[in-house]
Amino acid sequence: MRFAAQKGTKDILPADIYKWHKAEKVFAGVCHDFGYEEIRIPTFEQTDLFARGVGDTTDVVTKEMYTFNDKGGRSITLRPEGTAGVVRSYIENGMGSLPSPVRMFYNITAFRYENVQKGRMREFHQFGLEAFGSEGPAIDAEIISIVDIFFKKIGLKSIKLCINSIGCPACRKKYNEILKDYFRPHVSGMCEDCRTRFERNPLRMIDCKIDGEKEIVKSAPRLIDYLCDDCKAHFEGLKANLDAVGIRYEIDPNIVRGLDYYTRTVFEFVSENVGTQGTICGGGRYDGLVENCGGAATPGIGFAMGVERLLMEAEAQGIVFDKNDSVRIYIAGMSEAAGAKIAKLCYDLRLEGIGCETDLMKRSFKAQMKYAGKSGIPFLAVIGDDELASGEVKVKNMATGEETPVRLDGFVEYCKGNIV
Ligand code: HAM
């Protein structure tokens, strides 16, 4: 019997992992530069957290969650995203008493039972962050600049930033009525989900995957035209803060995001190359979520970016990541006696943090040379009986072909100064 990876999941193979390491390192570095520390949250949570946090009228909660009862009869869900878990942790660990804003970033897997296609997986990875305690709009612009700087450091170009405001509960309430009046004559002809959304959360009808392209949805009244004065001022503040640092954006009144917790600022970074799965990063403000999940009223904001989509986009743009080159030297053995000496040299090199490899396959000398040549290891040393007798070995730079004689008793010192 042969096993295969589950639909919508993917191995990240050793041959590709350097790209992930690079992206992870750059993301963590940029977050640190903005005063964020990493948080690691559990992979699964109590199902109710997502129903409450993400929203029980969203596709994510109603259709896409991996939910099961554990052996203790608890309803458990594999996290479909990170925000709800971070909010739970913020409340549970009393982080509200820390100096504000409380800022955290994460690098997680997330699980959604989706229709699998390019850039749409059932297990995928997100880089994200959340910040609590600041009403903005300066922090809204700041987290957007984190994404902007991260993209620049990775080398990505042509990623369009789209922003919108979906207001506070007060403007939403007013708008929902306007939207209901607008959709009322048409709702019977809309999909089953939209008929439910009409009653429970009419805003969701705007980004319906089935009806979304219909003219009736496209011409629906837009929330941005019904913002209250405070929300309007907040949105103006966001734009002014983005303008101040020179981050370009488009206002897209159709961004409502697929999760229910958002208030005011919402944004997406969309690839201009990729098609339907072009949203690389999405986020926004969620001023009611902490309270809704049982904490004290605390404003919050964050984003998450899909790492698979990020790397797809990087590849489409021809970005080349540095490969892991921590193995600096290959030491080939020409005799049995040399084996013991090589083992000791390798041990000492590794103790000094200098990566090296030697033969573990009983390869012939010729085969060792072939392996060393193919592996791309930048330096080579060959040790046989002659080298043991003379106490000297040649270290070859594989790129230039240059050979340097080195005393065996000073070999590690030489490598420390010359091959790393
Ligand atoms: P989201 O828009 O659902 O937001 O997901 C963020 C990003 O994750 C998407 O833009 C996309 O790149 C990636 N993504 C989502 N679903 C998939 C999938 N099935 N396969 C591959 N990539 C996917 C959130 O998750 C929010 N928690 C973001 C946030 C944080 N808002 C505030 N704080």
Side-chain angles (χ1 to χ4, degrees):
M1 178 161 181
R2 285 169 71 107
F3 296 105
Q6 287 299 294
K7 188 171 177 189
T9 69
K10 221 173 163 192
D11 299 310
I12 303 163
L13 298 174
D16 290 320
I17 199 74
Y18 66 95
K19 301 174 199 163
W20 290 74
H21 286 162
K22 170 80 180 176
E24 286 163 4
K25 201 169 153 196
V26 174
F27 184 68
V30 176
C31 289
H32 286 143
D33 288 347
F34 280 78
Y36 285 69
E37 276 303 337
E38 185 176 355
I39 181 168
R40 298 195 180 174
I41 48 169
T43 308
F44 58 85
E45 302 269 359
Q46 184 182 338
T47 300
D48 288 349
L49 173 71
F50 300 113
R52 240 194 130 67
V54 173
D56 56 8
T57 61
T58 59
D59 280 359
V60 169
V61 169
T62 55
K63 300 181 184 162
E64 296 170 0
M65 292 208 303
Y66 279 89
T67 298
F68 57 95
N69 282 341
D70 73 3
K71 289 191 173 26
R74 302 170 194 88
S75 180
I76 297 290
T77 294
L78 301 185
R79 59 183 174 215
E81 54 105 59
T83 310
V86 174
V87 166
R88 193 258 319 129
S89 176
Y90 173 85
I91 301 167
E92 188 177 351
N93 293 293
M95 289 191 240
S97 63
L98 299 173
S100 288
V102 175
R103 289 162 290 185
M104 304 176 245
F105 73 93
Y106 49 84
N107 171 6
I108 60 169
T109 47
F111 306 85
R112 297 184 193 175
Y113 192 82
E114 300 229 47
N115 289 326
V116 175
Q117 43 185 293
K118 200 166 173 238
R120 190 171 283 280
M121 320 264 302
R122 291 187 174 167
E123 180 185 24
F124 57 98
H125 295 74
Q126 286 186 336
F127 294 160
L129 60 79
E130 314 295 342
F132 299 92
S134 174
E135 270 186 84
I139 197 162
D140 304 39
E142 195 180 90
I143 73 159
I144 287 174
S145 74
I146 293 180
V147 185
D148 178 87
I149 289 177
F150 170 73
F151 285 161
K152 287 204 168 98
K153 291 206 170 184
I154 288 288
L156 280 174
K157 296 189 183 79
S158 337
I159 310 286
K160 189 167 71 176
L161 165 63
C162 301
I163 61 170
N164 188 23
S165 174
I166 57 168
C168 63
C171 20
R172 188 92 55 87
K173 198 165 167 227
K174 206 172 84 192
Y175 170 74
N176 276 346
E177 288 312 312
I178 292 164
L179 207 55
K180 275 178 110 165
D181 289 344
Y182 171 81
F183 277 128
R184 192 164 286 114
H186 311 282
V187 68
S188 59
M190 297 182 79
C191 75
E192 199 185 321
D193 284 343
C194 278
R195 293 202 295 270
T196 312
R197 290 170 184 140
F198 178 79
E199 295 302 337
R200 299 192 58 199
N201 190 355
L203 183 65
R204 285 263 79 82
M205 296 168 82
I206 302 279
D207 72 340
C208 174
K209 284 177 190 145
I210 299 166
D211 289 330
E213 288 307 307
K214 289 187 180 157
E215 201 44 51
I216 183 75
V217 175
K218 283 186 169 167
S219 338
R222 305 166 331 161
L223 214 168
I224 197 155
D225 298 324
Y226 297 91
L227 295 180
C228 68
D229 288 347
D230 285 351
C231 289
K232 239 186 244 166
H234 193 277
F235 193 53
E236 288 308 312
L238 167 65
K239 290 191 278 178
N241 276 283
L242 291 173
D243 292 339
V245 289
I247 294 178
R248 286 191 304 179
Y249 52 85
E250 264 177 32
I251 297 168
D252 180 350
N254 291 321
I255 298 181
V256 293
R257 311 274 304 126
L259 314 163
D260 273 352
Y261 44 64
Y262 293 108
T263 52
R264 294 189 164 169
T265 305
V266 286
F267 63 87
E268 288 180 351
F269 282 87
V270 187
S271 157
E272 290 180 343
N273 306 314
V274 191
T276 46
Q277 308 311 322
T279 308
I280 295 177
C281 176
R285 177 165 281 286
Y286 46 83
D287 290 344
L289 182 59
V290 176
E291 195 176 9
N292 197 23
C293 291
T298 312
I301 185 161
F303 67 74
M305 75 177 82
V307 187
E308 286 80 3
R309 291 190 196 175
L310 169 86
L311 293 177
M312 267 166 53
E313 180 65 18
E315 192 171 327
Q317 294 196 20
I319 291 169
V320 179
F321 293 96
D322 296 338
K323 287 211 164 140
N324 176 352
D325 64 349
S326 55
V327 175
R328 304 299 300 160
I329 188 162
Y330 186 87
I331 308 181
M334 288 228 286
S335 70
E336 215 148 284
K341 182 69 187 165
I342 292 173
K344 177 69 175 131
L345 284 177
C346 285
Y347 180 91
D348 290 344
L349 284 170
R350 289 163 180 158
L351 203 56
E352 290 295 336
I354 301 168
C356 58
E357 270 194 48
T358 188
D359 179 48
L360 296 170
M361 300 302 299
K362 292 194 175 6
R363 288 192 172 97
S364 68
F365 176 66
K366 206 171 141 201
Q368 288 183 59
M369 290 297 104
K370 202 168 154 198
Y371 174 86
K374 264 192 171 167
S375 64
I377 300 172
F379 292 89
L380 169 74
V382 177
I383 302 182
D385 292 340
D386 290 352
E387 285 74 15
L388 291 181
S390 69
E392 194 172 280
V393 61
K394 289 201 178 76
V395 173
K396 182 173 180 182
N397 179 327
M398 300 296 273
T400 62
E402 186 191 348
E403 290 190 324
T404 311
V406 177
R407 299 288 311 160
L408 275 176
D409 52 13
F411 187 77
V412 175
E413 278 311 303
Y414 171 82
C415 289
K416 265 163 81 176
N418 294 281
I419 70 164
V420 285

